Amino acid sequence: MKIQIQSQRVRLRIDENELANLLAGEAVESRTRMGDLGELVYLLRLHAAAEASVVGTLSATEFHLPRQDIVALQARLPCRDGLSFDIPAPLQDLQLQFDVDVRDSVRQRGVQRRGAGEVVKAV
């Protein structure tokens, strides 16, 4: 999982293997050791709730995404368009962007030709 943080926006990008693990009910995890300062831990999980949420602390953060939205995204892969969520209180003004690495999806799934209904396998 790749994480980008800028201002009030957090972007989470995963690959196809991490997506499969996520849909199988597992958490996707990213850890960064900061020497004597400790460690930053980010977990991504799916939940039945209709909206995304964030829990934890700055050093151990867990992102919860709505399962139905991720399943719908999986059905249209590969695509460049991800999902965007506005996180409710108490984290007002935080936007969460989620996507699946499009290059990895093309390698795994092939290229979907728009309107043709056929999948062309990438070489």
Side-chain angles (χ1 to χ4, degrees), residues 2-37:
K2 295 180 181 167
I3 302 158
Q4 293 175 310
I5 301 171
Q6 183 176 4
S7 298
Q8 287 303 110
R9 184 175 167 187
V10 177
R11 180 180 181 210
L12 306 175
R13 185 174 54 176
I14 64 174
D15 62 27
E16 285 281 345
N17 290 334
E18 291 168 322
L19 177 63
N21 291 340
L22 196 61
L23 292 169
E26 299 174 24
V28 175
E29 180 179 296
S30 175
R31 291 180 177 268
T32 303
R33 289 176 188 78
M34 306 288 284
D36 292 340
L37 294 176

PDB file of all heavy atoms in Angstrom, residues 2-37:
ATOM      1  N   LYS A   2       0.565   2.150  -0.858  1.00  0.00           N
ATOM      2  CA  LYS A   2       1.272   3.420  -0.919  1.00  0.00           C
ATOM      3  C   LYS A   2       0.368   4.490  -0.338  1.00  0.00           C
ATOM      4  O   LYS A   2      -0.831   4.528  -0.637  1.00  0.00           O
ATOM      5  CB  LYS A   2       1.663   3.762  -2.350  1.00  0.00           C
ATOM      6  CG  LYS A   2       2.664   2.777  -2.907  1.00  0.00           C
ATOM      7  CD  LYS A   2       3.055   3.114  -4.298  1.00  0.00           C
ATOM      8  CE  LYS A   2       4.049   2.056  -4.768  1.00  0.00           C
ATOM      9  NZ  LYS A   2       4.279   2.093  -6.178  1.00  0.00           N
ATOM     10  N   ILE A   3       0.958   5.358   0.456  1.00  0.00           N
ATOM     11  CA  ILE A   3       0.199   6.395   1.142  1.00  0.00           C
ATOM     12  C   ILE A   3       0.807   7.745   0.816  1.00  0.00           C
ATOM     13  O   ILE A   3       2.022   7.919   0.930  1.00  0.00           O
ATOM     14  CB  ILE A   3       0.224   6.173   2.669  1.00  0.00           C
ATOM     15  CG1 ILE A   3      -0.335   4.791   2.978  1.00  0.00           C
ATOM     16  CG2 ILE A   3      -0.536   7.267   3.388  1.00  0.00           C
ATOM     17  CD1 ILE A   3       0.086   4.259   4.300  1.00  0.00           C
ATOM     18  N   GLN A   4      -0.029   8.671   0.386  1.00  0.00           N
ATOM     19  CA  GLN A   4       0.401  10.045   0.154  1.00  0.00           C
ATOM     20  C   GLN A   4      -0.454  10.950   1.025  1.00  0.00           C
ATOM     21  O   GLN A   4      -1.684  10.838   1.018  1.00  0.00           O
ATOM     22  CB  GLN A   4       0.218  10.454  -1.297  1.00  0.00           C
ATOM     23  CG  GLN A   4       1.116   9.721  -2.260  1.00  0.00           C
ATOM     24  CD  GLN A   4       0.805  10.084  -3.702  1.00  0.00           C
ATOM     25  OE1 GLN A   4      -0.341  10.050  -4.114  1.00  0.00           O
ATOM     26  NE2 GLN A   4       1.841  10.431  -4.446  1.00  0.00           N
ATOM     27  N   ILE A   5       0.204  11.845   1.752  1.00  0.00           N
ATOM     28  CA  ILE A   5      -0.502  12.783   2.617  1.00  0.00           C
ATOM     29  C   ILE A   5      -0.100  14.192   2.207  1.00  0.00           C
ATOM     30  O   ILE A   5       1.092  14.506   2.141  1.00  0.00           O
ATOM     31  CB  ILE A   5      -0.159  12.541   4.099  1.00  0.00           C
ATOM     32  CG1 ILE A   5      -0.532  11.113   4.486  1.00  0.00           C
ATOM     33  CG2 ILE A   5      -0.852  13.562   4.984  1.00  0.00           C
ATOM     34  CD1 ILE A   5      -0.049  10.696   5.843  1.00  0.00           C
ATOM     35  N   GLN A   6      -1.093  15.005   1.912  1.00  0.00           N
ATOM     36  CA  GLN A   6      -0.841  16.389   1.542  1.00  0.00           C
ATOM     37  C   GLN A   6      -2.016  17.226   2.007  1.00  0.00           C
ATOM     38  O   GLN A   6      -3.163  16.965   1.621  1.00  0.00           O
ATOM     39  CB  GLN A   6      -0.659  16.526   0.038  1.00  0.00           C
ATOM     40  CG  GLN A   6      -0.324  17.931  -0.395  1.00  0.00           C
ATOM     41  CD  GLN A   6      -0.064  18.029  -1.885  1.00  0.00           C
ATOM     42  OE1 GLN A   6      -0.194  17.064  -2.627  1.00  0.00           O
ATOM     43  NE2 GLN A   6       0.297  19.212  -2.327  1.00  0.00           N
ATOM     44  N   SER A   7      -1.733  18.211   2.825  1.00  0.00           N
ATOM     45  CA  SER A   7      -2.761  19.079   3.400  1.00  0.00           C
ATOM     46  C   SER A   7      -3.847  18.207   4.036  1.00  0.00           C
ATOM     47  O   SER A   7      -3.545  17.373   4.859  1.00  0.00           O
ATOM     48  CB  SER A   7      -3.329  20.022   2.346  1.00  0.00           C
ATOM     49  OG  SER A   7      -2.300  20.858   1.860  1.00  0.00           O
ATOM     50  N   GLN A   8      -5.074  18.368   3.619  1.00  0.00           N
ATOM     51  CA  GLN A   8      -6.194  17.611   4.203  1.00  0.00           C
ATOM     52  C   GLN A   8      -6.620  16.462   3.303  1.00  0.00           C
ATOM     53  O   GLN A   8      -7.776  16.069   3.282  1.00  0.00           O
ATOM     54  CB  GLN A   8      -7.382  18.540   4.457  1.00  0.00           C
ATOM     55  CG  GLN A   8      -7.185  19.477   5.617  1.00  0.00           C
ATOM     56  CD  GLN A   8      -6.885  18.743   6.901  1.00  0.00           C
ATOM     57  OE1 GLN A   8      -5.766  18.808   7.403  1.00  0.00           O
ATOM     58  NE2 GLN A   8      -7.842  18.035   7.427  1.00  0.00           N
ATOM     59  N   ARG A   9      -5.672  15.903   2.567  1.00  0.00           N
ATOM     60  CA  ARG A   9      -5.975  14.821   1.635  1.00  0.00           C
ATOM     61  C   ARG A   9      -5.030  13.653   1.873  1.00  0.00           C
ATOM     62  O   ARG A   9      -3.818  13.825   1.943  1.00  0.00           O
ATOM     63  CB  ARG A   9      -5.833  15.331   0.217  1.00  0.00           C
ATOM     64  CG  ARG A   9      -6.222  14.334  -0.815  1.00  0.00           C
ATOM     65  CD  ARG A   9      -6.179  14.954  -2.178  1.00  0.00           C
ATOM     66  NE  ARG A   9      -6.258  13.881  -3.156  1.00  0.00           N
ATOM     67  CZ  ARG A   9      -6.120  14.060  -4.439  1.00  0.00           C
ATOM     68  NH1 ARG A   9      -5.895  15.256  -4.918  1.00  0.00           N
ATOM     69  NH2 ARG A   9      -6.203  13.053  -5.255  1.00  0.00           N
ATOM     70  N   VAL A  10      -5.617  12.476   1.987  1.00  0.00           N
ATOM     71  CA  VAL A  10      -4.848  11.241   2.135  1.00  0.00           C
ATOM     72  C   VAL A  10      -5.192  10.346   0.954  1.00  0.00           C
ATOM     73  O   VAL A  10      -6.365  10.102   0.679  1.00  0.00           O
ATOM     74  CB  VAL A  10      -5.183  10.510   3.458  1.00  0.00           C
ATOM     75  CG1 VAL A  10      -4.427   9.197   3.550  1.00  0.00           C
ATOM     76  CG2 VAL A  10      -4.880  11.396   4.650  1.00  0.00           C
ATOM     77  N   ARG A  11      -4.164   9.879   0.250  1.00  0.00           N
ATOM     78  CA  ARG A  11      -4.384   8.989  -0.893  1.00  0.00           C
ATOM     79  C   ARG A  11      -3.804   7.628  -0.561  1.00  0.00           C
ATOM     80  O   ARG A  11      -2.640   7.506  -0.171  1.00  0.00           O
ATOM     81  CB  ARG A  11      -3.707   9.542  -2.139  1.00  0.00           C
ATOM     82  CG  ARG A  11      -3.902   8.649  -3.351  1.00  0.00           C
ATOM     83  CD  ARG A  11      -3.214   9.229  -4.559  1.00  0.00           C
ATOM     84  NE  ARG A  11      -3.430   8.379  -5.720  1.00  0.00           N
ATOM     85  CZ  ARG A  11      -2.559   8.267  -6.704  1.00  0.00           C
ATOM     86  NH1 ARG A  11      -1.421   8.941  -6.677  1.00  0.00           N
ATOM     87  NH2 ARG A  11      -2.819   7.481  -7.716  1.00  0.00           N
ATOM     88  N   LEU A  12      -4.627   6.593  -0.711  1.00  0.00           N
ATOM     89  CA  LEU A  12      -4.215   5.206  -0.510  1.00  0.00           C
ATOM     90  C   LEU A  12      -4.279   4.503  -1.854  1.00  0.00           C
ATOM     91  O   LEU A  12      -5.308   4.528  -2.518  1.00  0.00           O
ATOM     92  CB  LEU A  12      -5.155   4.501   0.474  1.00  0.00           C
ATOM     93  CG  LEU A  12      -5.365   5.169   1.830  1.00  0.00           C
ATOM     94  CD1 LEU A  12      -6.414   4.417   2.624  1.00  0.00           C
ATOM     95  CD2 LEU A  12      -4.070   5.254   2.598  1.00  0.00           C
ATOM     96  N   ARG A  13      -3.173   3.895  -2.258  1.00  0.00           N
ATOM     97  CA  ARG A  13      -3.148   3.155  -3.524  1.00  0.00           C
ATOM     98  C   ARG A  13      -2.630   1.759  -3.238  1.00  0.00           C
ATOM     99  O   ARG A  13      -1.588   1.582  -2.600  1.00  0.00           O
ATOM    100  CB  ARG A  13      -2.256   3.844  -4.547  1.00  0.00           C
ATOM    101  CG  ARG A  13      -2.311   3.150  -5.900  1.00  0.00           C
ATOM    102  CD  ARG A  13      -1.552   3.889  -6.945  1.00  0.00           C
ATOM    103  NE  ARG A  13      -0.192   4.117  -6.501  1.00  0.00           N
ATOM    104  CZ  ARG A  13       0.752   4.674  -7.233  1.00  0.00           C
ATOM    105  NH1 ARG A  13       0.487   5.084  -8.454  1.00  0.00           N
ATOM    106  NH2 ARG A  13       1.951   4.841  -6.766  1.00  0.00           N
ATOM    107  N   ILE A  14      -3.388   0.772  -3.706  1.00  0.00           N
ATOM    108  CA  ILE A  14      -3.001  -0.623  -3.487  1.00  0.00           C
ATOM    109  C   ILE A  14      -2.848  -1.320  -4.828  1.00  0.00           C
ATOM    110  O   ILE A  14      -3.308  -0.824  -5.861  1.00  0.00           O
ATOM    111  CB  ILE A  14      -4.021  -1.364  -2.592  1.00  0.00           C
ATOM    112  CG1 ILE A  14      -5.396  -1.456  -3.254  1.00  0.00           C
ATOM    113  CG2 ILE A  14      -4.121  -0.686  -1.222  1.00  0.00           C
ATOM    114  CD1 ILE A  14      -6.403  -2.296  -2.483  1.00  0.00           C
ATOM    115  N   ASP A  15      -2.212  -2.490  -4.805  1.00  0.00           N
ATOM    116  CA  ASP A  15      -2.081  -3.272  -6.033  1.00  0.00           C
ATOM    117  C   ASP A  15      -3.144  -4.368  -6.048  1.00  0.00           C
ATOM    118  O   ASP A  15      -3.947  -4.492  -5.120  1.00  0.00           O
ATOM    119  CB  ASP A  15      -0.662  -3.824  -6.190  1.00  0.00           C
ATOM    120  CG  ASP A  15      -0.252  -4.786  -5.079  1.00  0.00           C
ATOM    121  OD1 ASP A  15      -1.122  -5.450  -4.457  1.00  0.00           O
ATOM    122  OD2 ASP A  15       0.958  -4.911  -4.836  1.00  0.00           O
ATOM    123  N   GLU A  16      -3.170  -5.144  -7.106  1.00  0.00           N
ATOM    124  CA  GLU A  16      -4.192  -6.195  -7.270  1.00  0.00           C
ATOM    125  C   GLU A  16      -4.116  -7.259  -6.173  1.00  0.00           C
ATOM    126  O   GLU A  16      -5.154  -7.738  -5.711  1.00  0.00           O
ATOM    127  CB  GLU A  16      -4.058  -6.844  -8.647  1.00  0.00           C
ATOM    128  CG  GLU A  16      -4.567  -5.987  -9.773  1.00  0.00           C
ATOM    129  CD  GLU A  16      -6.084  -6.015  -9.913  1.00  0.00           C
ATOM    130  OE1 GLU A  16      -6.753  -6.882  -9.344  1.00  0.00           O
ATOM    131  OE2 GLU A  16      -6.591  -5.137 -10.641  1.00  0.00           O
ATOM    132  N   ASN A  17      -2.918  -7.654  -5.758  1.00  0.00           N
ATOM    133  CA  ASN A  17      -2.797  -8.654  -4.692  1.00  0.00           C
ATOM    134  C   ASN A  17      -3.347  -8.122  -3.374  1.00  0.00           C
ATOM    135  O   ASN A  17      -4.037  -8.840  -2.643  1.00  0.00           O
ATOM    136  CB  ASN A  17      -1.341  -9.085  -4.517  1.00  0.00           C
ATOM    137  CG  ASN A  17      -0.846  -9.912  -5.677  1.00  0.00           C
ATOM    138  OD1 ASN A  17      -1.617 -10.575  -6.365  1.00  0.00           O
ATOM    139  ND2 ASN A  17       0.454  -9.861  -5.924  1.00  0.00           N
ATOM    140  N   GLU A  18      -3.062  -6.872  -3.071  1.00  0.00           N
ATOM    141  CA  GLU A  18      -3.600  -6.273  -1.851  1.00  0.00           C
ATOM    142  C   GLU A  18      -5.120  -6.138  -1.934  1.00  0.00           C
ATOM    143  O   GLU A  18      -5.816  -6.345  -0.939  1.00  0.00           O
ATOM    144  CB  GLU A  18      -2.948  -4.909  -1.602  1.00  0.00           C
ATOM    145  CG  GLU A  18      -1.487  -5.026  -1.223  1.00  0.00           C
ATOM    146  CD  GLU A  18      -0.749  -3.704  -1.262  1.00  0.00           C
ATOM    147  OE1 GLU A  18      -1.020  -2.882  -2.161  1.00  0.00           O
ATOM    148  OE2 GLU A  18       0.113  -3.492  -0.377  1.00  0.00           O
ATOM    149  N   LEU A  19      -5.632  -5.841  -3.115  1.00  0.00           N
ATOM    150  CA  LEU A  19      -7.087  -5.776  -3.300  1.00  0.00           C
ATOM    151  C   LEU A  19      -7.721  -7.132  -3.033  1.00  0.00           C
ATOM    152  O   LEU A  19      -8.742  -7.227  -2.350  1.00  0.00           O
ATOM    153  CB  LEU A  19      -7.426  -5.295  -4.711  1.00  0.00           C
ATOM    154  CG  LEU A  19      -8.912  -5.255  -5.062  1.00  0.00           C
ATOM    155  CD1 LEU A  19      -9.658  -4.264  -4.175  1.00  0.00           C
ATOM    156  CD2 LEU A  19      -9.108  -4.914  -6.530  1.00  0.00           C
ATOM    157  N   ALA A  20      -7.111  -8.190  -3.550  1.00  0.00           N
ATOM    158  CA  ALA A  20      -7.637  -9.541  -3.317  1.00  0.00           C
ATOM    159  C   ALA A  20      -7.634  -9.866  -1.821  1.00  0.00           C
ATOM    160  O   ALA A  20      -8.614 -10.424  -1.297  1.00  0.00           O
ATOM    161  CB  ALA A  20      -6.813 -10.567  -4.089  1.00  0.00           C
ATOM    162  N   ASN A  21      -6.567  -9.508  -1.120  1.00  0.00           N
ATOM    163  CA  ASN A  21      -6.496  -9.740   0.328  1.00  0.00           C
ATOM    164  C   ASN A  21      -7.565  -8.935   1.062  1.00  0.00           C
ATOM    165  O   ASN A  21      -8.231  -9.450   1.969  1.00  0.00           O
ATOM    166  CB  ASN A  21      -5.117  -9.372   0.866  1.00  0.00           C
ATOM    167  CG  ASN A  21      -4.043 -10.318   0.387  1.00  0.00           C
ATOM    168  OD1 ASN A  21      -4.313 -11.438  -0.044  1.00  0.00           O
ATOM    169  ND2 ASN A  21      -2.802  -9.865   0.438  1.00  0.00           N
ATOM    170  N   LEU A  22      -7.751  -7.695   0.661  1.00  0.00           N
ATOM    171  CA  LEU A  22      -8.748  -6.828   1.280  1.00  0.00           C
ATOM    172  C   LEU A  22     -10.147  -7.412   1.108  1.00  0.00           C
ATOM    173  O   LEU A  22     -10.921  -7.507   2.058  1.00  0.00           O
ATOM    174  CB  LEU A  22      -8.656  -5.444   0.638  1.00  0.00           C
ATOM    175  CG  LEU A  22      -9.312  -4.275   1.326  1.00  0.00           C
ATOM    176  CD1 LEU A  22      -8.722  -4.038   2.706  1.00  0.00           C
ATOM    177  CD2 LEU A  22      -9.181  -3.035   0.476  1.00  0.00           C
ATOM    178  N   LEU A  23     -10.468  -7.848  -0.111  1.00  0.00           N
ATOM    179  CA  LEU A  23     -11.784  -8.425  -0.384  1.00  0.00           C
ATOM    180  C   LEU A  23     -11.985  -9.773   0.296  1.00  0.00           C
ATOM    181  O   LEU A  23     -13.119 -10.196   0.519  1.00  0.00           O
ATOM    182  CB  LEU A  23     -12.007  -8.535  -1.887  1.00  0.00           C
ATOM    183  CG  LEU A  23     -12.155  -7.182  -2.602  1.00  0.00           C
ATOM    184  CD1 LEU A  23     -12.095  -7.358  -4.111  1.00  0.00           C
ATOM    185  CD2 LEU A  23     -13.445  -6.488  -2.174  1.00  0.00           C
ATOM    186  N   ALA A  24     -10.882 -10.443   0.648  1.00  0.00           N
ATOM    187  CA  ALA A  24     -10.957 -11.713   1.378  1.00  0.00           C
ATOM    188  C   ALA A  24     -11.114 -11.502   2.881  1.00  0.00           C
ATOM    189  O   ALA A  24     -11.148 -12.469   3.647  1.00  0.00           O
ATOM    190  CB  ALA A  24      -9.707 -12.544   1.095  1.00  0.00           C
ATOM    191  N   GLY A  25     -11.195 -10.239   3.306  1.00  0.00           N
ATOM    192  CA  GLY A  25     -11.413  -9.953   4.722  1.00  0.00           C
ATOM    193  C   GLY A  25     -10.154  -9.636   5.501  1.00  0.00           C
ATOM    194  O   GLY A  25     -10.214  -9.389   6.704  1.00  0.00           O
ATOM    195  N   GLU A  26      -9.019  -9.610   4.842  1.00  0.00           N
ATOM    196  CA  GLU A  26      -7.763  -9.303   5.526  1.00  0.00           C
ATOM    197  C   GLU A  26      -7.525  -7.796   5.529  1.00  0.00           C
ATOM    198  O   GLU A  26      -8.040  -7.071   4.687  1.00  0.00           O
ATOM    199  CB  GLU A  26      -6.593  -9.994   4.818  1.00  0.00           C
ATOM    200  CG  GLU A  26      -6.705 -11.494   4.802  1.00  0.00           C
ATOM    201  CD  GLU A  26      -5.603 -12.137   3.971  1.00  0.00           C
ATOM    202  OE1 GLU A  26      -4.533 -11.521   3.797  1.00  0.00           O
ATOM    203  OE2 GLU A  26      -5.831 -13.251   3.484  1.00  0.00           O
ATOM    204  N   ALA A  27      -6.698  -7.345   6.459  1.00  0.00           N
ATOM    205  CA  ALA A  27      -6.279  -5.946   6.486  1.00  0.00           C
ATOM    206  C   ALA A  27      -5.047  -5.794   5.608  1.00  0.00           C
ATOM    207  O   ALA A  27      -4.226  -6.701   5.506  1.00  0.00           O
ATOM    208  CB  ALA A  27      -5.958  -5.510   7.909  1.00  0.00           C
ATOM    209  N   VAL A  28      -4.932  -4.659   4.952  1.00  0.00           N
ATOM    210  CA  VAL A  28      -3.719  -4.302   4.226  1.00  0.00           C
ATOM    211  C   VAL A  28      -2.950  -3.367   5.147  1.00  0.00           C
ATOM    212  O   VAL A  28      -3.524  -2.449   5.729  1.00  0.00           O
ATOM    213  CB  VAL A  28      -4.048  -3.614   2.886  1.00  0.00           C
ATOM    214  CG1 VAL A  28      -2.790  -3.144   2.196  1.00  0.00           C
ATOM    215  CG2 VAL A  28      -4.834  -4.562   1.988  1.00  0.00           C
ATOM    216  N   GLU A  29      -1.655  -3.596   5.278  1.00  0.00           N
ATOM    217  CA  GLU A  29      -0.860  -2.887   6.267  1.00  0.00           C
ATOM    218  C   GLU A  29       0.370  -2.242   5.644  1.00  0.00           C
ATOM    219  O   GLU A  29       0.984  -2.794   4.738  1.00  0.00           O
ATOM    220  CB  GLU A  29      -0.420  -3.890   7.339  1.00  0.00           C
ATOM    221  CG  GLU A  29       0.419  -3.314   8.435  1.00  0.00           C
ATOM    222  CD  GLU A  29       0.795  -4.366   9.456  1.00  0.00           C
ATOM    223  OE1 GLU A  29      -0.116  -4.898  10.127  1.00  0.00           O
ATOM    224  OE2 GLU A  29       1.993  -4.654   9.570  1.00  0.00           O
ATOM    225  N   SER A  30       0.724  -1.079   6.175  1.00  0.00           N
ATOM    226  CA  SER A  30       1.966  -0.402   5.814  1.00  0.00           C
ATOM    227  C   SER A  30       2.631   0.056   7.102  1.00  0.00           C
ATOM    228  O   SER A  30       1.984   0.673   7.946  1.00  0.00           O
ATOM    229  CB  SER A  30       1.678   0.801   4.914  1.00  0.00           C
ATOM    230  OG  SER A  30       2.874   1.515   4.656  1.00  0.00           O
ATOM    231  N   ARG A  31       3.924  -0.260   7.250  1.00  0.00           N
ATOM    232  CA  ARG A  31       4.680   0.142   8.440  1.00  0.00           C
ATOM    233  C   ARG A  31       5.935   0.888   8.022  1.00  0.00           C
ATOM    234  O   ARG A  31       6.633   0.461   7.119  1.00  0.00           O
ATOM    235  CB  ARG A  31       5.105  -1.072   9.262  1.00  0.00           C
ATOM    236  CG  ARG A  31       3.964  -1.787   9.926  1.00  0.00           C
ATOM    237  CD  ARG A  31       4.465  -2.997  10.729  1.00  0.00           C
ATOM    238  NE  ARG A  31       3.365  -3.617  11.408  1.00  0.00           N
ATOM    239  CZ  ARG A  31       2.981  -3.317  12.645  1.00  0.00           C
ATOM    240  NH1 ARG A  31       3.649  -2.431  13.340  1.00  0.00           N
ATOM    241  NH2 ARG A  31       1.946  -3.920  13.185  1.00  0.00           N
ATOM    242  N   THR A  32       6.195   1.978   8.721  1.00  0.00           N
ATOM    243  CA  THR A  32       7.417   2.740   8.499  1.00  0.00           C
ATOM    244  C   THR A  32       8.100   2.927   9.843  1.00  0.00           C
ATOM    245  O   THR A  32       7.541   3.541  10.754  1.00  0.00           O
ATOM    246  CB  THR A  32       7.106   4.120   7.874  1.00  0.00           C
ATOM    247  OG1 THR A  32       6.390   3.927   6.666  1.00  0.00           O
ATOM    248  CG2 THR A  32       8.392   4.888   7.609  1.00  0.00           C
ATOM    249  N   ARG A  33       9.304   2.384   9.967  1.00  0.00           N
ATOM    250  CA  ARG A  33      10.066   2.544  11.202  1.00  0.00           C
ATOM    251  C   ARG A  33      10.821   3.859  11.159  1.00  0.00           C
ATOM    252  O   ARG A  33      11.481   4.165  10.181  1.00  0.00           O
ATOM    253  CB  ARG A  33      11.026   1.377  11.373  1.00  0.00           C
ATOM    254  CG  ARG A  33      10.271   0.100  11.712  1.00  0.00           C
ATOM    255  CD  ARG A  33      11.186  -1.118  11.786  1.00  0.00           C
ATOM    256  NE  ARG A  33      10.406  -2.327  11.914  1.00  0.00           N
ATOM    257  CZ  ARG A  33       9.775  -2.930  10.913  1.00  0.00           C
ATOM    258  NH1 ARG A  33       9.831  -2.443   9.713  1.00  0.00           N
ATOM    259  NH2 ARG A  33       9.080  -4.030  11.116  1.00  0.00           N
ATOM    260  N   MET A  34      10.701   4.622  12.236  1.00  0.00           N
ATOM    261  CA  MET A  34      11.310   5.949  12.316  1.00  0.00           C
ATOM    262  C   MET A  34      12.442   5.974  13.350  1.00  0.00           C
ATOM    263  O   MET A  34      12.559   6.909  14.129  1.00  0.00           O
ATOM    264  CB  MET A  34      10.239   6.987  12.683  1.00  0.00           C
ATOM    265  CG  MET A  34       9.031   6.994  11.770  1.00  0.00           C
ATOM    266  SD  MET A  34       9.368   7.664  10.168  1.00  0.00           S
ATOM    267  CE  MET A  34       9.411   9.391  10.538  1.00  0.00           C
ATOM    268  N   GLY A  35      13.255   4.926  13.393  1.00  0.00           N
ATOM    269  CA  GLY A  35      14.363   4.860  14.345  1.00  0.00           C
ATOM    270  C   GLY A  35      13.867   4.946  15.775  1.00  0.00           C
ATOM    271  O   GLY A  35      12.906   4.278  16.157  1.00  0.00           O
ATOM    272  N   ASP A  36      14.503   5.803  16.566  1.00  0.00           N
ATOM    273  CA  ASP A  36      14.139   5.961  17.977  1.00  0.00           C
ATOM    274  C   ASP A  36      12.789   6.634  18.180  1.00  0.00           C
ATOM    275  O   ASP A  36      12.234   6.601  19.271  1.00  0.00           O
ATOM    276  CB  ASP A  36      15.216   6.769  18.710  1.00  0.00           C
ATOM    277  CG  ASP A  36      16.536   6.012  18.815  1.00  0.00           C
ATOM    278  OD1 ASP A  36      16.513   4.762  18.680  1.00  0.00           O
ATOM    279  OD2 ASP A  36      17.576   6.662  19.022  1.00  0.00           O
ATOM    280  N   LEU A  37      12.256   7.246  17.141  1.00  0.00           N
ATOM    281  CA  LEU A  37      10.959   7.913  17.265  1.00  0.00           C
ATOM    282  C   LEU A  37       9.791   6.937  17.298  1.00  0.00           C
ATOM    283  O   LEU A  37       8.692   7.294  17.694  1.00  0.00           O
ATOM    284  CB  LEU A  37      10.757   8.887  16.104  1.00  0.00           C
ATOM    285  CG  LEU A  37      11.690  10.075  16.048  1.00  0.00           C
ATOM    286  CD1 LEU A  37      11.436  10.888  14.777  1.00  0.00           C
ATOM    287  CD2 LEU A  37      11.523  10.954  17.277  1.00  0.00           C
TER     288      LEU A  37
END
